[in-house]
Amino acid sequence: MQTAASEPIDGVFRALADPTRRRVIERLGRSAASASELAAPFDMTLQSFSEHLKALEDAGLVTSRKKGRVRTYSLAPKGLQVVEDWLSAQRTLWEQRLDQLDDYLVKLKETRS
Amino acid sequence: MQTAASEPIDGVFRALADPTRRRVIERLGRSAASASELAAPFDMTLQSFSEHLKALEDAGLVTSRKKGRVRTYSLAPKGLQVVEDWLSAQRTLWEQRLDQLDDYLVKLKETRS
DNA sequence: TAGATACTCAGGTCAATGCCTGAGCATCTA
DNA sequence: TAGATGCTCAGGCATTGACCTGAGTATCTA
C-alpha cells in the first residue's frame, strides 16, 4: 500500500526514534566499542540490546567487524547523511517559499467564503 | 525501563520514519493545506490519514487551525529544529574526535592479544 | 582441556502502529 | 432546510517492535 518498498531512510529514522539506539550513536561518536561495552550502561539483556545494534547496522548507521569472539561497532561515516540531506531539502523548500506568499493566499482563500 | 519518559525527540523521529508522513511534510513545505487536500494523493481512508496528521501534530512538526468544517495544516517552523540540533551535536562530537585517535587505540587493543 | 566469556539463535509475550469499517456531527450550498 | 462535504469518534484486526528466557557456539584463558 505504501508508495514504494519502504525506503532506506525509513529505517534510519526508525532507528533514531529509540532513545537506547540514539545513545549508542552518541557513545560511538566518542569511539568504537564492543557489543558488551556498549550494552553495559543499559538495564537490558544482551540479547535485546543486540537487536538494537542490528537495527542500527541495518539502517546503515553503524558498522561492525568481528574479531575472535568480540564484535566491535563503529559509526558509519555516511550514516547520518541521508537524514541531513532530507532535512536540508526541506529547509530549501521552506526557504524558497517567497516569504509565506502561499500561506497568505491560502489564508485569503480560507477567509473568503 | 527507558532512561526517561520517552523524550519529545522520539516522537519526532518516529513521525518522520513513515513515508506518508514525510510526504506530508514535503507537501506542506510548499504551502499550507486542508486535511483532505493533503490526503488526496494517498490511497488510504481519510480516517487513517488523519491519524498520520495527528502523529505529525503531536510531534510538533505541524500545526492546524479549524475554520468551519475545514482544518488547515501548516508546517511548524521550529518543528525540525530538534532533529537539526541533535544531528549537529553528533557532528560536533564526531569532529572533536581528533582524527580517529580513539579508533586507532581501540584497533590496537583489539589486535594486541 | 575445562570453564569463563562474548556473542547468537529460537522461541514467546505484550503493547503500540497502521490500517479498516461504520457511525456520527457540524458546516456549507443549492 | 435537505443533502453534500469535511472531518471526528469508536471499535476491530493484523503486523511489528521491544522486551524476555533458554539454549547454543565459538574463542580465549588458566
Side-chain angles (χ1 to χ4, degrees):
Chain A
M1 199 108 325
Q2 228 68 268
T3 322
S6 207
E7 313 237 12
I9 195 174
D10 288 9
V12 177
F13 278 120
R14 235 179 314 105
L16 295 175
D18 186 281
T20 299
R21 292 193 290 257
R22 277 200 312 281
R23 280 172 65 198
V24 170
I25 295 291
E26 290 160 8
R27 166 66 186 76
L28 288 177
R30 281 185 284 282
S31 76
S34 73
S36 28
E37 279 167 356
L38 291 170
F42 297 93
D43 184 17
M44 189 185 295
T45 64
L46 182 62
Q47 291 92 317
S48 300
F49 188 78
S50 285
E51 285 164 31
H52 286 301
L53 293 175
K54 181 173 188 320
L56 287 169
E57 191 157 24
D58 288 350
L61 290 167
V62 308
T63 56
S64 73
R65 284 169 307 121
K66 191 160 189 175
K67 171 105 190 184
R69 37 180 189 170
V70 178
R71 183 174 292 275
T72 300
Y73 288 85
S74 319
L75 275 192
K78 302 282 168 113
L80 292 169
Q81 197 59 49
V82 248
V83 178
E84 310 232 29
D85 290 350
W86 186 83
L87 278 179
S88 93
Q90 292 322 117
R91 207 169 19 236
T92 302
L93 245 184
W94 175 268
E95 280 161 4
Q96 271 180 351
R97 200 172 141 182
L98 318 164
D99 260 75
Q100 276 81 27
L101 175 57
D102 286 345
D103 267 348
Y104 173 70
L105 293 175
V106 166
K107 270 178 202 146
L108 197 65
K109 174 175 156 201
E110 178 191 304
T111 305
R112 176 194 57 194
S113 72
Chain B
M1 197 115 323
Q2 229 70 268
T3 323
S6 207
E7 314 237 12
I9 195 175
D10 289 9
V12 178
F13 277 120
R14 234 179 315 105
L16 295 175
D18 186 282
T20 297
R21 293 193 289 257
R22 275 199 316 280
R23 279 171 66 197
V24 170
I25 296 291
E26 290 160 8
R27 166 66 185 75
L28 288 177
R30 280 185 284 281
S31 76
S34 72
S36 28
E37 280 167 355
L38 291 170
F42 297 93
D43 184 17
M44 189 184 297
T45 63
L46 181 62
Q47 291 92 316
S48 299
F49 188 77
S50 285
E51 286 164 32
H52 286 301
L53 292 176
K54 182 174 187 321
L56 288 170
E57 190 156 24
D58 288 351
L61 290 168
V62 308
T63 57
S64 72
R65 285 168 308 121
K66 191 161 188 173
K67 172 105 190 182
R69 40 182 187 169
V70 177
R71 184 173 290 275
T72 301
Y73 288 86
S74 319
L75 275 192
K78 301 282 168 108
L80 292 168
Q81 197 60 49
V82 248
V83 177
E84 310 231 30
D85 290 350
W86 186 83
L87 278 179
S88 94
Q90 292 323 115
R91 207 170 18 235
T92 302
L93 247 184
W94 174 268
E95 280 160 4
Q96 271 178 354
R97 199 172 142 183
L98 317 165
D99 261 74
Q100 276 82 25
L101 174 58
D102 286 345
D103 268 348
Y104 173 70
L105 293 175
V106 167
K107 269 179 203 146
L108 197 65
K109 175 176 156 200
E110 177 193 303
T111 306
R112 175 193 60 194
S113 73

